[in-house]
Amino acid sequence: MELCVISSINPVHSSSTRRLGSRRLFQSDSLFLSRDGCSLLRFHGRLKKPIKPLELSCAAKKIGSGGGGVRRSAASTKAAPAVEPSVKEDKLPAELQVKETQAPNSSVKLSVEVPAVVCEDCYQRVLTEFMKMAKVPGFRPGKRVPENIIVGFVGRPYVLRATVESILKRTLPHAMESVTGKALKDSIQIVSSFPEMEKAYSQLRTLSYEVVVDVVPELKWNPENGYKDMKVVVELGDEIDAKKACERQLRQKYKSLGALKIVTDRGLQVGDLAVIDISATTIDEDGSTGEAIPDAESKGFHFDTEEGNRLLPGFLDSILGIELASQSHSRLCFLNHGSKKVSVASVLSSLDLPTLDDSLADKLLPGCTTLKEVEETLTKRCQEMEEEAKEQATDNAILEQIRKMVEVEIPQSLFEEQGRQFYGARLLEIQGNMKLTEDQLASLSSQKSVNEFLETQRESITNIIKQNLAVGDIFKRENLEFSTDELVKEVENSVTEFKKHKQEYDEERVKDQVQEILEGAKVLEWLKERAEIQYITR
């Protein structure tokens, strides 16, 4: 028996679907029912989907990291079609009474009253379905069974529940007609209590319920059209300087040729390499040591002190001076989950480096014969990287400026979806740096971890959504467009990447993502042509 959520208006593959055997489940805040409306499966609270760290679209990574700079996630603000064609064909015996009320965070509350004649029609349909399914003694399968007998055979409570489900499943799409073109996909919640609805129907033979749905948010620009003649100041850090980046890369390659030797007569200092074991515990409110965090443990981790605090801010300073086989205890903010007590045990190594001359050229950079050629090749690469970084910094500065110009209420469903995408990207980064095991990855993908992330990163997530909404609004206001060929090409490239990495994907969702990314690239190009941009080095 296939299951579908009663509060889903558009049951298609989406980011909120998950599979359970041969059944397809959809996100909801209330319950699930079968296609025939005869079986009940209730869920209390929002059904959360697990995080997949590879969920960040290949399209977003490909297009967003280059000339565009905008990464529009799957948290789309496009409205779902509120009424399916099949719904329009299902004529109700009487009109529903629907009252629409504005609710916070760009949502709408619908108060729905279902007439008795509609409830009775659903009741008769449920009885007919039970007659088809039930094997009532004395009656051939599929034949008409008197109402009192079929109700007694199935059980009155089960018939009532199935009827309420059938009423909701059948009337909800009609009730949603008033928000056609505005409702966000997978954001619909039936907020009325099912037991109360069941009790009311059993007594009155009518039904009333309330639905809350997120709608496409409306933007207000302050000042109006302020994005058309912006003055943008872009701050550039010295870390993107091509000369310094070249020197850093050459130093790293040179160090990789050195021979390690154990240090026993001093503590850790900058320039050393350390093989460290890391463990962490929580810190209780009174400052005492709490529970161990198994997923934060790492043994045999190779740490280059010249990389500074890139692994974790404050980490290097906390372990400088540690000696061979000794331990260091520090309080650090770990993985954006608050303060944690981090313990480190280490083995120290210093480098015995060879003479830096032309004989090392090919080892430093295959194909090169002299140090000068190595430096020239690295310099060219770093200059390209500097230009890309400068362009990215420009994009970021423009996006930040237009974000400050918009006032908008963020729908909760949009916030959660964007946050999950953001967290998935963060897991990719962590996994690349720390080589997480499957168990560690599963733990970091838990709903508890996701909720903590959403809270700690609420401001950042909200800002990203505002940027995306501003970009989308400018694209429409200025009638910008891109060619169909561009869209088709990028979708094909993204699908190829998904297949290459054997990742599941939904082609329609990929298309939506690519379209939003292309929109972002066009908007940034349009804004840069009209903005006055000044670069300063901090």
Side-chain angles (χ1 to χ4, degrees):
M1 182 179 294
E2 189 175 5
L3 299 177
C4 70
V5 66
I6 54 174
S7 58
S8 177
I9 297 305
N10 190 30
V12 297
H13 290 289
S14 75
S15 60
S16 296
T17 63
R18 57 163 77 171
R19 292 191 177 277
L20 182 63
S22 61
R23 298 171 294 177
R24 185 182 303 159
L25 301 182
F26 296 78
Q27 188 172 5
S28 173
D29 280 290
S30 45
L31 48 89
F32 294 89
L33 58 123
S34 62
R35 294 288 185 190
D36 55 26
C38 293
S39 64
L40 175 67
L41 177 60
R42 294 187 58 196
F43 283 77
H44 299 279
R46 182 179 293 274
L47 175 65
K48 301 290 189 179
K49 71 168 188 174
I51 285 293
K52 296 180 180 179
L54 296 181
E55 204 168 48
L56 184 65
S57 165
C58 291
K61 289 189 290 183
K62 178 180 178 62
I63 303 175
S65 60
V70 174
R71 290 191 179 186
R72 306 287 297 283
S73 79
S76 175
T77 57
K78 293 184 178 180
V83 183
E84 298 178 76
S86 59
V87 173
K88 296 180 180 179
E89 296 173 3
D90 182 16
K91 301 291 184 180
L92 297 178
E95 291 287 333
L96 303 177
Q97 298 297 316
V98 182
K99 180 181 178 182
E100 182 177 320
T101 308
Q102 294 298 315
N105 299 325
S106 189
S107 61
V108 172
K109 182 174 74 173
L110 302 176
S111 300
V112 185
E113 293 184 11
V114 184
V117 63
V118 177
C119 294
E120 177 62 22
D121 188 60
C122 293
Y123 173 69
Q124 293 299 328
R125 291 190 178 199
V126 167
L127 292 182
T128 300
E129 290 297 330
F130 274 128
M131 291 176 193
K132 294 178 181 179
M133 298 170 58
K135 296 181 179 179
V136 183
F139 295 88
R140 286 183 293 176
K143 292 298 181 180
R144 186 74 186 175
V145 180
E147 179 180 335
N148 63 324
I149 295 179
I150 189 66
V151 171
F153 180 79
V154 175
R156 180 174 175 76
Y158 295 102
V159 174
L160 287 176
R161 291 176 194 172
T163 301
V164 173
E165 293 177 23
S166 179
I167 293 171
L168 293 171
K169 173 178 179 287
R170 191 177 176 197
T171 62
L172 182 62
H174 290 276
M176 297 294 297
E177 288 181 346
S178 64
V179 291
T180 297
K182 296 191 298 181
L184 296 183
K185 191 184 296 185
D186 304 315
S187 70
I188 307 162
Q189 306 173 38
I190 295 179
V191 296
S192 300
S193 165
F194 188 84
E196 291 179 3
M197 288 190 288
E198 186 179 354
K199 181 180 178 181
Y201 171 73
S202 66
Q203 294 175 348
L204 306 174
R205 312 303 287 183
T206 62
L207 189 67
S208 298
Y209 60 92
E210 291 186 339
V211 179
V212 174
V213 57
D214 291 338
V215 295
V216 176
E218 295 183 4
L219 274 71
K220 179 180 179 182
W221 287 89
N222 186 18
E224 184 71 20
N225 296 324
Y227 61 86
K228 291 185 176 181
D229 54 354
M230 294 190 298
K231 294 182 179 180
V232 182
V233 177
V234 183
E235 291 189 353
L236 302 177
D238 60 0
E239 67 273 4
I240 71 170
D241 181 81
K243 182 179 179 180
K244 293 182 179 180
C246 178
E247 292 173 353
R248 186 166 56 249
Q249 285 193 28
L250 183 58
R251 174 67 178 171
Q252 290 172 345
K253 291 178 179 296
Y254 179 45
K255 286 176 65 175
S256 68
L257 303 179
L260 293 175
K261 56 183 180 181
I262 304 299
V263 176
T264 59
D265 57 350
R266 60 172 175 80
L268 181 69
Q269 62 187 30
V270 175
D272 290 339
L273 298 178
V275 180
I276 57 180
D277 294 339
I278 303 175
S279 60
T281 59
T282 59
I283 299 177
D284 294 335
E285 293 182 359
D286 60 3
S288 61
T289 300
E291 298 179 353
I293 309 175
D295 297 324
E297 293 183 357
S298 180
K299 294 186 178 296
F301 182 77
H302 290 249
F303 178 62
D304 185 347
T305 55
E306 288 194 345
E307 292 299 309
N309 289 314
R310 294 186 182 184
L311 175 66
L312 187 67
F315 182 75
L316 174 60
D317 293 338
S318 71
I319 65 173
L320 284 177
I322 186 175
E323 297 183 356
L324 176 67
S326 63
Q327 289 193 338
S328 170
H329 302 279
S330 307
R331 180 170 178 157
L332 299 172
C333 182
F334 188 69
L335 296 180
N336 292 309
H337 289 173
S339 294
K340 311 295 181 188
K341 186 176 182 180
V342 181
S343 298
V344 177
S346 67
V347 175
L348 312 182
S349 304
S350 63
L351 280 171
D352 186 10
L353 296 170
T355 302
L356 185 60
D357 56 28
D358 289 346
S359 64
L360 297 179
D362 187 62
K363 294 180 181 179
L364 292 170
L365 204 62
C368 294
T369 57
T370 64
L371 285 179
K372 182 179 180 181
E373 186 179 358
V374 171
E375 292 174 352
E376 290 175 348
T377 303
L378 288 178
T379 297
K380 182 179 179 180
R381 292 180 184 177
C382 291
Q383 286 173 342
E384 293 173 352
M385 292 172 62
E386 179 183 11
E387 191 60 35
E388 290 180 2
K390 183 178 180 180
E391 185 174 1
Q392 184 67 61
T394 304
D395 293 346
N396 292 340
I398 291 174
L399 291 171
E400 178 62 14
Q401 193 149 324
I402 62 173
R403 177 194 67 79
K404 294 178 179 179
M405 293 181 183
V406 296
E407 299 174 9
V408 62
E409 288 189 341
I410 306 298
Q412 182 63 20
S413 61
L414 185 61
F415 171 80
E416 291 182 358
E417 182 66 8
Q418 177 69 74
R420 284 193 290 267
Q421 290 293 321
F422 198 20
Y423 189 74
R426 183 67 60 85
L427 282 187
L428 270 177
E429 182 180 352
I430 295 173
Q431 188 179 23
N433 290 337
M434 301 186 67
K435 307 299 181 183
L436 299 174
T437 65
E438 290 187 8
D439 290 341
Q440 290 173 326
L441 192 57
S443 177
L444 287 174
S445 301
S446 68
Q447 192 56 50
K448 180 181 178 182
S449 296
V450 176
N451 288 341
E452 289 180 356
F453 178 83
L454 293 180
E455 277 307 308
T456 58
Q457 299 295 319
R458 178 171 293 276
E459 183 178 355
S460 296
I461 295 169
T462 300
N463 288 343
I464 290 174
I465 294 174
K466 284 186 175 181
Q467 290 177 357
N468 290 345
L469 291 174
V471 166
D473 194 54
I474 293 172
F475 188 85
K476 293 178 182 178
R477 280 173 166 237
E478 303 303 329
N479 298 315
L480 303 180
E481 58 185 18
F482 50 83
S483 68
T484 303
D485 290 342
E486 287 181 273
L487 178 62
V488 171
K489 180 181 178 181
E490 293 300 342
V491 169
E492 290 176 349
N493 290 341
S494 295
V495 169
T496 300
E497 286 295 311
F498 278 117
K499 290 180 178 179
K500 178 181 177 180
H501 294 92
K502 298 181 179 179
Q503 289 181 238
E504 293 183 4
Y505 67 94
D506 181 280
E507 189 162 347
E508 196 62 33
R509 183 181 171 202
V510 172
K511 182 179 178 180
D512 287 343
Q513 280 189 305
V514 170
Q515 182 169 325
E516 291 181 343
I517 294 166
L518 289 174
E519 287 179 7
K522 292 295 182 181
V523 168
L524 282 171
E525 181 182 349
W526 188 89
L527 290 173
K528 281 187 278 191
E529 289 176 352
R530 291 159 177 79
E532 181 182 326
I533 303 175
Q534 177 185 0
Y535 294 96
I536 61 174
T537 302
R538 61 175 183 268

